[in-house]
Amino acid sequence: MMNLSTVIAYGCRYCTPPIKQLLSYTTLLNPHHHHLQARPLSFNNLNLPNFNLLLTGNCLFFRMERFWSGSGINKNKQMVEHLRRYGVISSMKVAEVMETIDRGLFVPDGTSAYVDSPMPIGYNATISAPHMHATCLQLLEENLQPGVHALDVGSGTGYLTACFALMVGPQGRAVGVEHIPELVASSIQTIEKSAAAPLLKEGSLSLHASDGRQGWPECAPYDAIHVGAAAPEIPQPLLDQLKPGGRMVIPVGNMFQDLKVVDKNLDGSISIRSETSVRYVPLTSRDAQLRGY
């Protein structure tokens, strides 16, 4: 049986009313960070997954499909509604964008597209869980205004890049950078089937095969940057390409990772805060990723 207190201590930040019915928790303060510690009430009938499966993608968060099982989640809109109900999505704009870009197009055939879980997409890469996409979109929402430039590093399937494109619109630029050429090719094919297809055709949405650690200088500076893999430290080229007034969201760390919110102030100085503890695949070279890190 998995120790649930361990999971909560690593960074479940959305203990909303339905989850509170299952857990009693206390917030503990130590000199370095806040964390939540949970005391299980009764889980005799809850067949929880192996703890390692919770470490393959994103926020160390109760995978909500455990609570959604049997609820008939088979449509993208229902997935978004559940995320709103659990308090993960509070922004109407983010909800609209995630309803418009169908996650089902971006996951491998035969997988459960709409459960709140990361999914392997080949080449030792994953598509993040829906709650992490929602979290990152909300953290960047104010910087994803029509007409701005946005960069998605480690764009994978292209899902979040497509969401960015809808938010910045045809007058903006949404750029995805992915170092696995096969994933770039498949993401373009997928986006061509999605609601973001016109933006791809017009050129305001583009995807490129390149080392994302170097950013994409051609369209810099960026008002918003998202990084979809964990860096041991924040890459300097990404800081350089962040526009004054812009924001970057990036997981940082090795075994223990935090989702960092990086703001470049108007004077060029940098402010960094930790949003939550997470678990992402490493931001590394193409060869290292293909070797399994």
Side-chain angles (χ1 to χ4, degrees):
M1 176 71 68
M2 180 182 62
N3 186 331
L4 295 175
S5 61
T6 303
V7 178
I8 296 296
Y10 275 116
C12 172
R13 67 186 291 265
Y14 297 110
C15 288
T16 50
I19 295 177
K20 285 181 180 177
Q21 295 172 8
L22 295 174
L23 298 173
S24 70
Y25 61 85
T26 57
T27 301
L28 305 179
L29 178 65
N30 76 25
H32 303 291
H33 63 276
H34 288 84
H35 68 270
L36 296 177
Q37 184 177 51
R39 296 189 296 274
L41 297 180
S42 176
F43 296 93
N44 293 333
N45 297 320
L46 194 58
N47 183 23
L48 289 163
N50 184 291
F51 178 62
N52 289 330
L53 296 180
L54 293 172
L55 302 182
T56 55
N58 307 157
C59 181
L60 301 185
F61 177 87
F62 278 114
R63 286 167 55 181
M64 286 192 298
E65 74 269 22
R66 288 291 164 183
F67 304 106
W68 298 350
S69 59
S71 61
I73 298 177
N74 54 14
K75 294 182 180 178
N76 197 64
K77 185 174 182 179
Q78 289 177 296
M79 178 194 76
V80 175
E81 289 173 351
H82 277 280
L83 289 170
R84 292 183 66 186
R85 184 180 306 168
Y86 275 82
V88 178
I89 295 177
S90 58
S91 162
M92 286 298 298
K93 180 63 175 177
V94 169
E96 289 172 4
V97 167
M98 290 185 68
E99 286 182 2
T100 303
I101 300 297
D102 184 0
R103 178 179 168 88
L105 296 174
F106 293 82
V107 302
D109 292 339
T111 59
S112 300
Y114 306 112
V115 297
D116 191 44
S117 174
M119 302 278 182
I121 59 173
Y123 308 97
N124 292 315
T126 62
I127 180 174
S128 292
H131 75 266
M132 282 310 301
H133 284 147
T135 296
C136 292
L137 287 171
Q138 291 195 154
L139 288 170
L140 292 169
E141 180 179 9
E142 292 185 5
N143 298 83
L144 290 169
Q145 300 299 320
V148 309
H149 287 202
L151 174 65
D152 184 20
V153 173
S155 53
T157 66
Y159 173 84
L160 204 63
T161 319
C163 291
F164 284 0
L166 288 192
M167 296 180 82
V168 305
Q171 302 306 313
R173 284 298 305 268
V175 178
V177 177
E178 167 59 53
H179 62 191
I180 305 295
E182 293 86 350
L183 287 177
V184 174
S186 63
S187 66
I188 290 172
Q189 293 174 355
T190 300
I191 290 173
E192 287 173 343
K193 304 173 189 174
S194 77
L199 299 171
L200 181 68
K201 183 176 181 180
E202 294 164 7
S204 59
L205 165 57
S206 61
L207 297 113
H208 308 274
S210 186
D211 186 343
R213 296 172 296 182
Q214 302 304 314
W216 191 253
E218 180 179 329
C219 296
Y222 296 98
D223 301 83
I225 298 177
H226 166 264
V227 182
E233 57 186 23
I234 300 170
Q236 187 62 44
L238 299 183
L239 289 172
D240 294 341
Q241 292 172 37
L242 187 62
K243 184 178 180 179
R247 170 173 284 188
M248 171 168 34
V249 175
I250 176 172
V252 177
N254 295 304
M255 180 177 292
F256 300 101
Q257 303 168 4
D258 288 313
L259 188 67
K260 301 289 188 181
V261 178
V262 181
D263 291 306
K264 181 177 278 191
N265 303 312
L266 294 178
D267 63 2
S269 62
I270 300 293
S271 301
I272 303 174
R273 66 177 174 84
S274 294
E275 177 69 11
T276 188
S277 296
V278 291
R279 186 67 176 173
Y280 278 72
V281 297
L283 183 67
T284 185
S285 69
R286 177 180 180 271
D287 289 343
Q289 180 172 323
L290 293 175
R291 288 196 308 266
Y293 315 113

